[in-house]
Every structure is written in structure tokens, then in C-alpha cells.
Amino acid sequence: MEQGSAAREGVRPPYGPGAYAGTPATGRVPEQMRVGRSQDAPLARGEHTHSEPPAPRVIRHSVRGQILQALRAALVDGELTPGQVYSAPALGARFGVSATPVREAMQQLATEGAVEVVPNRGFRVSERGPRELAELAEVRALIEVPVMLRLARTVPADRWSALRPLADATATAAAVGDRASYAECDRAFHRAVLTLAGNGQLVAIADELHRRSQWPPVAGPATRRADLLADAAEHTALLDALIAQDLTVVQALVREHFTGADG
């Protein structure tokens, strides 16, 4: 974080669902994820040290993934402020890990355009304006609208009905105003829809564009719970239109969805 102790920075890891998969939402990476097995610990029956992969390497990779997930959630939540510089050591202290996995996670975010590297200081959260959001929405529409219209003509109703639980999950996250969880559920729903097209490259590209569209703009208002609820309702309406093969409504809903708060 920006030249100060972790206590002054005011950034905490997300506490919502999914911040640390399978672990308590304590705000720290679990102890077993931060350290390897003690050299004095006894071997389990049948365990052979000569054939084991190096434990610290596996553990560091796991920590990096956990930190990357938490940082992405913090971006969506607005806990990492656009334009501000955050240092890897300070963020590491906040998460209870060394600076190395934080730095590696931040480098990944830099390749995605979420942050910029500031030599000798850390990473600056990218500042985005309405124009960039509008451009992302336009590109997503160009990719996804034709695909969904084609799927609406060919996919049977029962396949669409199977996606109801994913739409319901977005509504659940929206009801409690959990923006980070909503972002994950929203992308999961769209991935499931596009996966029906059978094109893995399409799904990967669309998912990356979707992730970028979820980062809050500089000086933008916080997403309200009402906005999330309205956005989630569009998922259900879209499934209804796809089941009915109502192409006009499908096209209108998808285009409107992309211009919403978190679509």
C-alpha cells in the first residue's frame, strides 16, 4: 500500500463468500497454507520423502492463487482505490503472507490491465472512465449477442432450465449486497450460457472482457444493492426468453445487460 503501515492503509481482504475457498473468512491466509510441514513431523504410513514434490513450491502456488482471488474481489468491492499505489510488502502484511505471492498476484493483475507497475513503489490501480466501460460493453455485445441468438434457436428448453440455479445464485448475492460474490456468480452464469456454444476460445475471451467490465470506474458511485437486484433479475428474464425462443427479447435483454452496473 501507499507508503504506510498496513494498519493505516484501510484495505482489508474481502470477507464475503469465496474469498478463501474452503477456509474461514478470517482475513488471513490459513497457517497451513503459509508454512510447509515441519522437518520434525513424523511421516505417515507409506510416505516416502524421496518421491515427494517439494512442498513449499506447491504451497506458494496455492497462496498466490488465494491472494489473487482476494485482490480481484477487493478491486470489485472498491477496497483498492483507482489511482492509488499499493506496495507488495504492506499488502503481504495485511494478508499475513510474505511479499512474494502478493507481488506475483499483482503481476498477473498487471497483465490483465487491472493495475500498473510503479517502479520502486508498488502497483497503481488503473483508472478507468465511462468511455472504457462503454467500449467494453460494445465489444461484449458484438461477441455475445449473435452467439446467444444462435443458441436460442438450437438449444432445447431443458438445457436452459438447468441454468436456473446459477441465476438464483446471482439473486442471492445481490440480496445481501455482496458485490464480490455477485461478480463471481454473474460471470459463472454467463460462462455457462456461452459454454453451450462449444467454443472454448469464445468463452475465455468473453470471460476476460466480463471481468474487466466489473472493475469500478475512477470516482464512480458504489454499486447499490438495488442495481445488483435489477441486474440479477435480468438473468431470469433472459432464461425465460431463451426457453421461449423469443429472439427479439433475447437481443434487447443482452444489450441492456451489458450497459448495467455489473452486467
Side-chain angles (χ1 to χ4, degrees), residues 148-164 192-193 196-197 238-245:
M148 289 196 187
L149 290 176
R150 174 165 58 86
L151 293 175
R153 299 185 185 97
T154 58
V155 174
D158 62 321
R159 298 289 298 278
W160 296 123
S161 297
L163 302 186
R164 293 285 187 191
V193 170
L196 295 176
L238 177 60
L239 286 180
D240 291 339
L242 288 167
I243 291 172
Q245 295 186 322

Side-chain angles (χ1 to χ4, degrees), residues 80-84 125-130 132-133 215-221:
L80 296 179
T81 307
Q84 293 295 314
V125 179
S126 299
E127 300 179 80
R128 306 181 314 131
E132 183 175 348
L133 290 174
W215 302 331
V218 61

Side-chain angles (χ1 to χ4, degrees), residues 12-230:
R12 58 172 178 81
Y15 295 104
Y20 294 117
T23 64
T26 61
R28 295 175 64 87
V29 174
E31 183 69 21
Q32 65 269 29
M33 302 296 289
R34 293 192 279 117
V35 296
R37 186 187 61 197
S38 169
Q39 294 181 355
D40 298 327
L43 296 177
R45 178 172 303 191
E47 188 176 7
H48 302 288
T49 56
H50 65 272
S51 61
E52 285 184 324
R57 181 169 184 161
V58 176
I59 290 170
R60 194 181 81 170
H61 176 75
S62 178
V63 172
R64 179 179 59 188
Q66 297 279 354
I67 296 299
L68 178 59
Q69 184 178 6
L71 289 172
R72 282 173 170 164
L75 282 168
V76 174
D77 273 338
E79 294 175 0
L80 296 179
T81 307
Q84 293 295 314
V85 178
Y86 300 93
S87 73
L91 284 173
R94 184 69 179 99
F95 285 113
V97 299
S98 71
T100 299
V102 176
R103 189 174 291 112
E104 291 172 345
M106 281 292 202
Q107 291 288 355
Q108 175 61 36
L109 291 175
T111 66
E112 298 173 3
V115 300
E116 305 165 5
V117 177
V118 182
N120 303 319
R121 292 186 61 196
F123 302 86
R124 178 185 291 112
V125 179
S126 299
E127 300 179 80
R128 306 181 314 131
R131 178 174 179 177
E132 183 175 348
L133 290 174
E135 290 174 348
L136 286 168
E138 181 180 6
V139 175
R140 289 185 65 202
L142 289 171
I143 293 175
E144 296 192 37
V145 170
V147 173
M148 289 196 187
L149 290 176
R150 174 165 58 86
L151 293 175
R153 299 185 185 97
T154 58
V155 174
D158 62 321
R159 298 289 298 278
W160 296 123
S161 297
L163 302 186
R164 293 285 187 191
L166 294 176
D168 293 342
T170 65
T172 299
V176 295
D178 189 334
R179 287 178 290 176
S181 292
Y182 183 86
E184 291 293 331
C185 294
D186 187 29
R187 287 203 315 280
F189 174 82
H190 282 265
R191 280 197 304 269
V193 170
L194 295 177
T195 296
L196 295 176
N199 186 328
Q201 296 298 318
L202 167 71
V203 174
I205 292 171
D207 190 58
E208 179 59 26
L209 291 170
H210 194 168
R211 185 190 299 280
R212 293 174 67 91
S213 72
Q214 291 174 328
W215 302 331
V218 61
T223 304
R224 300 174 304 168
R225 188 166 67 93
D227 296 328
L228 296 180
L229 288 168

